């Protein structure tokens, strides 16, 4: 009888130990936010100052990458890149050897920058502020294509110019519950340098077949209004 009691007690201890071990394994495989996050935003472009006298509002996108400097995430290295379009012109060219051709011209601003971000890392609302230095490219490109993709699209850059910008921004991150996703509502002010650029209608086809470019020049201050989603990559292990 005593030997049976010892056997039952030993068996119970084995199963209890196994349960504890399983609990420890589950805990060790829990996921926590890592130091890396990425985001994507729909961006509305609003020119300011002298640029507003020449260009209309536009829209586009931007991408953001963050690397936390401290484990909590008060300070982060921030990288930005994006493109906005402030003008578009579509001209049907007609049929050539049975193929319908169209000419599409886009006026774009492309940018990429690097800087720092300060953010409150906890709570349902997580405000942040950032400062970056960016390279900015103003580009007007025309492409000939056909709707049926019978021929390969042919593109030509009519005009392009580089400048730089100091970017100061802010916003708020709103987490989606306990997930690794958050909504971003933000804005950036670009203190841009001088640049040359074209807007819609600045490319003039002359009767003799030549082309005249009415190039504009000014400072390039602008605001980007942003709404998008941020994703913090998870990692396994303790917090």
């Amino acid at each position: 009888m005593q030997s049976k009691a010892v056997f039952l007690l030993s068996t119970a201890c084995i199963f209890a130990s196994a349960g504890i071990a399983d609990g420890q394994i589950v805990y060790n495989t829990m996921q926590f936010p890592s130091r890396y996050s990425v985001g994507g935003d729909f961006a509305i472009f609003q020119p300011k100052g002298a640029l507003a006298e020449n260009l209309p509002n536009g829209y586009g996108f931007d991408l953001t990458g963050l690397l936390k400097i401290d484990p909590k995430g008060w300070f982060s290295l921030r990288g930005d890149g994006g493109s906005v379009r402030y003008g578009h012109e579509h001209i049907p060219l007609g049929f050539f050897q049975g193929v319908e051709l169209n000419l599409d011209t886009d006026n774009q601003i492309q940018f990429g920058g690097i800087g720092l971000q300060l953010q409150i890392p906890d709570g349902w609302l997580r405000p942040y502020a950032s400062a970056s230095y960016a390279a900015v490219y103003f580009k007007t490109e025309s492409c000939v294509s056909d709707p049926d993709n019978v021929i390969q699209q042919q593109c030509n850059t009519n005009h392009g110019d580089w400048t730089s910008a100091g970017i100061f921004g802010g916003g708020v991150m709103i987490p989606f519950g306990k997930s690794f996703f958050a909504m971003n509502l933000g804005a950036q002010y670009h203190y841009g340098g001088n640049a040359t650029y074209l807007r819609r209608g600045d490319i003039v086809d002359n009767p003799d077949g030549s082309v005249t470019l009415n190039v504009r020049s000014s400072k390039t201050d602008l605001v980007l209004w942003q709404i998008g989603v941020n994703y913090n990559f998870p990692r396994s292990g303790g917090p």
Side-chain angles (χ1 to χ4, degrees):
M1 186 69 179
Q2 184 177 5
S3 61
K4 290 183 178 180
V6 171
F7 173 76
L8 291 175
L9 182 59
S10 301
T11 303
C13 290
I14 291 172
F15 280 105
S17 299
I20 293 173
D22 288 342
Q24 290 176 340
I25 291 173
V26 171
Y27 174 79
N28 289 335
T29 57
M30 290 180 65
Q31 292 184 322
F32 299 89
S34 71
R35 294 194 174 191
Y36 304 95
S37 63
V38 295
D41 302 296
F42 172 74
I44 298 174
F45 156 69
Q46 182 181 6
K48 292 293 184 179
L51 189 65
E53 299 175 3
N54 294 324
L55 300 185
N57 294 348
Y59 62 90
F61 71 93
D62 68 75
L63 301 174
T64 303
L66 294 171
L67 169 61
K68 298 176 183 176
I69 297 175
D70 60 287
K72 192 69 175 176
W74 287 91
F75 292 93
S76 299
L77 290 175
R78 177 185 176 110
D80 290 282
S83 176
V84 294
R85 188 176 76 174
Y86 60 85
H88 176 75
E89 189 172 11
H90 176 80
I91 301 175
L93 298 178
F95 287 84
F96 293 84
Q97 297 182 352
V99 178
E100 181 183 1
L101 297 179
N102 298 312
L103 177 65
D104 291 279
T105 300
D106 288 319
N107 307 103
Q108 299 176 314
I109 304 174
Q110 300 170 348
F111 62 91
I114 188 168
L116 295 173
Q117 176 171 298
L118 169 64
Q119 178 177 344
I120 296 177
D122 297 312
W124 290 107
L125 295 176
R126 303 178 183 181
Y128 66 87
S130 64
S132 306
Y133 185 78
V136 183
Y137 185 52
F138 283 75
K139 181 177 73 169
T140 296
E141 183 179 63
S142 295
C143 296
V144 176
S145 61
D146 72 285
D148 300 321
N149 296 319
V150 175
I151 64 171
Q152 184 177 2
Q153 180 174 265
Q154 301 292 326
C155 296
N156 176 67
T157 299
N158 302 291
H159 182 78
D161 193 16
W162 286 94
T163 188
S164 60
I167 302 176
F168 298 91
V172 61
M173 293 285 187
I174 306 174
F176 295 137
K178 296 183 178 180
S179 72
F180 296 100
F181 288 92
M183 176 182 289
N184 175 54
L185 300 174
Q188 292 182 338
Y189 198 103
H190 292 220
Y191 290 91
N194 289 299
T196 58
Y197 48 85
L198 299 173
R199 62 168 291 169
R200 181 177 178 178
D202 282 343
I203 302 176
V204 180
D205 294 317
N206 300 314
D208 61 0
S210 63
V211 175
T212 299
L213 303 179
N214 296 320
V215 180
R216 302 166 187 262
S217 177
S218 71
K219 281 188 87 286
T220 56
D221 296 344
L222 60 92
V223 174
L224 281 184
W225 302 97
Q226 304 161 311
I227 179 170
V229 177
N230 183 270
Y231 177 69
N232 199 145
F233 290 101
R235 64 179 176 84
S236 300

